[in-house]
Amino acid sequence: MPEDEREQRATLLDGKTNRRELLQALVAMGFVSASGGLVWGALEAAMPKGKARSWHKSVCRYCGTGCGVMLGLNSEGLVEVRGDQEAHNRGRLCIKGSLLPLLMKAPGRQLYPQIRENGALRRASWEEALELIGNKFNASLAAHGPTSVAYYGSGQLFAEESYTANKLFKGGLGSNNVDGNPRLCMASAAVGYTKTFGKDEPPGAYADIDSAHVFFIIGANPAECHQPLFERILDRKKLNPEVKLICVDPRRTMTADHSDLHLQPKPGSDLMLLWSMVRAMLDANLLDPAFVEEHVNITAANLPSSPREAGAPPEEQAQGSASAKQKVVFQEESLSSSQARLPVFAVLNEFLEDYSPDDVKARLGISAAAIREVAAIFASSPATMSLWTMGLNQRVDGVALNTTMNALHLLSGQINRPGATPLSLTGQANACGGVRDTGSLAHLLPHGRLIKNPDHRREMEKLWGVPEGRIAPTPGYDAMTLFEKMETGEVKCVLNFCTNPGQSLPRLEKYRAGLKKAFVVVVDTFENTRTTEYADVVLPAALYIEKEGVFGQSERRYQLVEKLLEPPGEAKSDLEILVAIADQLGQGDLIRARTPEAVWDEYRALSAHSKYNFRGMTRKRLQSERGIQW
């Protein structure tokens, strides 16, 4: 290692300081755990601190809650963090946000480009690394066509970065092989919203917490995973003792400990429970016929046909699906008016024939009385808010669970008023705003458009200024198929940005085979990951406040992260790297927006041509406001 690099690492990444601060943080975490949690203010006070000389508004870069933070800086860098009192989290932070200063001091930063040569990575210049990437991708495009190249991204990238990658591949290279790790966590919620409301957007907001009378939490543990939101729920309960918290979870969690009712269904039986609740509502005349008649439509879809299937193992569901009778999906009438209207309650009676609480109680492991009680509380409340996350999403029946959660609200009329809403909690910081909204998945185009829709393709080609037919009509490879195609050799070159699939994919050995075979470019902030083990080129990326960009969180709120520090060594922002690669691939004329602000201006202007219209969300407003919802 050159002497100047040693000095830089010693200055930026003092390992002894990091270990000492980490130990202090672990002691504080132990105190919180021993005290039963939900004392995050004490945790924040115990975090390692320096003497901040300036404070800056920003956003936590971890989960999809999108908490506002105030970052304290001095000559050493980021030394202190506080919850932003003016943001939606009202000054509260969880353990992840409290540790942001340690993130910026984490050892093992990638400081310069590397190229694999004779089986080992060696240092290279940016020019050499970019030239190799351009040669490999261009050769593959010339010999094997657009489907031979791919981009695999992340819900951790800024919206400007994911949008630029999506535009480069779909509008420039003609490849729809654009996917990422949000496919693994939020696909079920996205499809559930789309099937129900016509667009992939949650109808609710965090502000609904302040008006809800019942909280129905299923497949989630926000007391430990979304603490600022859960504290807001507890605030609501303190102000109104009649507010009820219902937790559905096979485990006894911290959320369950704070709930008024805790249902513990047998694992895998959640869908049966939800339809049994609807059956109970129907029997007790608790559904909302007026709302349903005016606003709700039913369409046929292949869902499990009976409780025996709905709670059965995947292999049994597959065996029964061929002969399954048609079941239903509930949709907003305004988005389904062209379809034949079915008699909702007549269909429900037939559909729910086998779902009475008495019929399914043994399969669920929950008494019929408890099912009826929860159903009555949910439907009769002045305003019921349901919240869920990966416990429903990462399932073989995840789409059915999400559509059924939405159906519960439509059938009971628990929607379209303060506090009455379904709200899925996004996992990653920018999976919603930066991936789903930008259309950076293999089947999507920006702002709710679909690859398969020819009108959507033509519209995007005009907006992007590319020739008609440039966007391929066939969706690209989804995340898991992409790695399979890398192994078979059909996908030969991949850009991997801001994610570590060599560590995080399921069935790792199967999918690492694809990483071994393809030409893989890894853009990451840290060296020696399980993905850089297979990289042919590694490029050093800036981290968090070493660059600028926008995060979009669970409640359709966009927030700006401003650049406050310079990245170490030769690291560059992901946007700078994408622009440089675009030039190497001959797409410089297409990728004309080259700064975060320029890309944002292009992207928000594009939104005005869709239902996702946030054209008025200017950079100036984002700089001054605590996030803007659309």
Side-chain angles (χ1 to χ4, degrees):
M1 181 183 296
E3 187 62 32
D4 60 340
E5 187 182 329
R6 284 199 193 91
E7 291 178 1
Q8 184 177 36
R9 283 189 183 275
T11 301
L12 292 171
L13 309 170
D14 182 343
K16 293 181 180 179
T17 301
N18 287 338
R19 286 192 292 272
R20 182 171 62 250
E21 292 180 344
L22 180 59
L23 181 60
Q24 183 179 344
L26 290 172
V27 170
M29 290 168 61
F31 164 72
V32 171
S33 178
S35 64
L38 298 181
V39 287
W40 306 107
L43 172 63
E44 183 181 338
M47 287 298 101
K49 291 182 178 65
K51 188 174 181 180
R53 294 180 181 173
S54 61
W55 289 91
H56 306 265
K57 174 181 75 72
S58 194
V59 188
C60 180
R61 55 89 59 217
Y62 284 112
C63 80
T65 303
C67 291
V69 294
M70 297 299 295
L71 301 180
L73 275 68
N74 64 21
S75 59
E76 297 176 5
L78 177 59
V79 294
E80 190 172 354
V81 62
R82 298 173 181 169
D84 186 349
Q85 298 286 346
E86 297 182 40
H88 72 79
N89 49 304
R90 302 169 179 175
R92 289 166 166 158
L93 283 183
C94 74
I95 178 61
K96 299 186 292 290
S98 296
L99 290 174
L100 282 169
L102 293 188
L103 170 70
M104 304 310 296
K105 300 177 182 178
R109 287 294 299 272
Q110 193 76 242
L111 297 178
Y112 49 77
Q114 296 184 82
I115 289 175
R116 190 169 299 279
E117 194 173 84
N118 298 321
L121 290 171
R122 66 161 177 85
R123 183 170 182 171
S125 67
W126 273 99
E127 292 76 12
E128 183 183 12
L130 289 169
E131 184 179 4
L132 176 60
I133 294 168
N135 289 341
K136 289 286 188 178
F137 272 74
N138 285 327
S140 185
L141 287 164
H144 306 287
T147 60
S148 69
V149 300
Y151 166 88
Y152 189 73
S154 165
Q156 304 292 335
L157 288 167
F158 291 141
E160 298 92 331
E161 295 162 347
S162 290
Y163 168 76
T164 298
N166 198 33
K167 181 182 181 182
L168 170 62
F169 273 74
K170 292 175 183 172
L173 306 181
S175 173
N176 292 331
N177 291 339
V178 174
D179 219 82
N181 56 30
R183 171 76 66 181
L184 308 178
C185 62
M186 295 304 296
S188 299
V191 176
Y193 280 135
T194 302
K195 291 182 71 172
T196 307
F197 304 114
K199 292 294 179 187
D200 169 25
E201 292 299 331
Y206 301 154
D208 284 300
I209 293 173
D210 304 330
S211 300
H213 289 256
V214 170
F215 296 97
F216 184 78
I217 300 175
I218 181 170
N221 182 17
E224 296 180 69
C225 301
H226 296 84
Q227 294 95 356
L229 291 183
F230 194 72
E231 289 193 53
R232 191 164 175 173
I233 291 173
L234 295 184
D235 286 346
R236 171 66 177 155
K237 282 178 63 64
K238 289 175 185 176
L239 289 172
N240 188 340
E242 295 182 2
V243 168
K244 299 291 185 184
L245 172 57
I246 301 168
C247 175
V248 180
D249 197 318
R251 307 167 303 158
R252 186 76 189 181
T253 65
M254 193 181 293
T255 300
D257 289 340
H258 287 82
S259 63
D260 298 289
L261 287 170
H262 178 205
L263 297 187
Q264 293 181 275
K266 294 179 180 179
S269 64
D270 309 65
L271 186 58
M272 190 194 311
L273 170 64
L274 296 180
W275 282 120
S276 181
M277 288 172 57
V278 178
R279 174 79 258 180
M281 294 176 191
L282 186 64
D283 292 343
N285 296 316
L286 294 173
L287 299 182
D288 190 333
F291 182 87
V292 171
E293 178 63 27
E294 185 174 356
H295 298 291
V296 181
N297 192 17
I298 295 182
T299 61
N302 285 315
L303 292 181
S305 67
S306 71
R308 291 174 294 282
E309 267 190 68
E315 61 272 16
E316 293 180 22
Q317 292 183 29
Q319 292 168 1
S321 62
S323 61
K325 61 184 178 181
Q326 292 284 291
K327 287 305 171 186
V328 295
V329 170
F330 296 84
Q331 298 180 317
E332 276 192 340
E333 172 63 20
S334 61
L335 298 175
S336 314
S337 57
S338 63
Q339 302 180 21
R341 187 178 182 87
L342 300 177
V344 174
F345 289 96
V347 173
L348 268 181
N349 270 309
E350 180 186 359
F351 174 36
L352 298 172
E353 181 181 357
D354 299 326
Y355 285 78
S356 75
D358 289 310
D359 288 338
V360 302
K361 61 183 181 181
R363 292 291 307 276
L364 289 173
I366 300 173
S367 70
I371 298 169
R372 292 190 177 98
E373 181 183 12
V374 168
I377 293 172
F378 187 106
S380 303
S381 161
T384 296
M385 184 176 190
S386 59
L387 303 106
W388 68 93
T389 183
M390 301 312 148
L392 293 194
N393 294 344
Q394 295 185 346
R395 300 272 291 275
V396 293
D397 53 359
V399 171
L401 281 160
N402 274 266
T403 53
T404 303
M405 280 307 311
N406 295 331
L408 271 174
H409 284 267
L410 291 178
L411 291 168
S412 60
Q414 292 286 358
I415 199 166
N416 286 1
R417 63 180 184 274
T421 186
L423 180 64
S424 70
L425 299 175
T426 307
Q428 293 187 79
N430 204 22
C432 187
V435 176
R436 289 153 63 185
D437 287 1
T438 63
S440 299
L441 292 171
H443 66 296
L444 294 178
L445 290 166
H447 306 128
R449 298 178 178 90
L450 299 174
I451 290 287
K452 286 186 175 181
N453 188 315
D455 293 334
H456 291 177
R457 296 197 304 274
R458 299 295 86 80
E459 183 182 20
M460 283 309 308
E461 286 164 348
K462 290 179 181 178
L463 291 171
W464 276 340
V466 299
E468 185 172 330
R470 172 63 57 80
I471 300 175
T474 303
Y477 300 131
D478 63 81
M480 307 318 298
T481 304
L482 172 60
F483 285 87
E484 291 176 355
K485 297 299 183 181
M486 290 162 61
E487 182 183 3
T488 62
E490 294 168 76
V491 172
K492 300 184 179 299
C493 298
V494 179
L495 292 182
N496 181 94
F497 270 70
C498 197
T499 184
N500 186 12
Q503 177 71 48
S504 58
L505 287 178
R507 301 176 64 191
L508 272 174
E509 292 309 316
K510 172 181 173 60
Y511 295 111
R512 279 180 182 154
L515 289 168
K516 292 177 183 177
K517 190 165 184 179
F519 177 80
V520 177
V521 179
V522 174
V523 181
D524 207 324
T525 55
F526 294 98
E527 59 184 1
N528 301 325
T529 73
R530 298 305 303 275
T531 306
T532 59
E533 291 176 17
Y534 305 105
D536 297 282
V537 178
V538 181
L539 301 178
L543 174 65
Y544 188 36
I545 52 172
E546 295 167 358
K547 58 179 185 174
E548 178 185 312
V550 173
F551 279 154
Q553 284 85 23
S554 294
E555 57 167 357
R556 308 172 315 284
R557 181 186 299 272
Y558 280 113
Q559 300 182 78
L560 179 64
V561 176
E562 295 187 89
K563 181 178 178 179
L564 301 175
L565 299 173
E566 289 298 323
E570 299 177 20
K572 299 179 183 291
S573 75
D574 296 271
L575 179 60
E576 289 178 288
I577 296 170
L578 282 164
V579 167
I581 291 173
D583 286 339
Q584 291 291 327
L585 299 179
Q587 299 295 327
D589 290 340
L590 176 67
I591 308 300
R592 294 184 297 274
R594 296 180 167 232
T595 65
E597 184 171 4
V599 177
W600 180 254
D601 285 344
E602 176 183 317
Y603 179 53
R604 67 184 179 84
L606 199 72
S607 75
H609 299 270
S610 73
K611 294 181 183 296
Y612 296 51
N613 188 350
F614 46 83
R615 185 182 183 122
M617 206 179 291
T618 64
R619 210 66 162 191
K620 185 176 181 180
R621 288 187 63 195
L622 288 172
Q623 287 169 343
S624 62
E625 299 183 37
R626 262 56 181 187
I628 305 173
Q629 289 177 277
W630 60 274

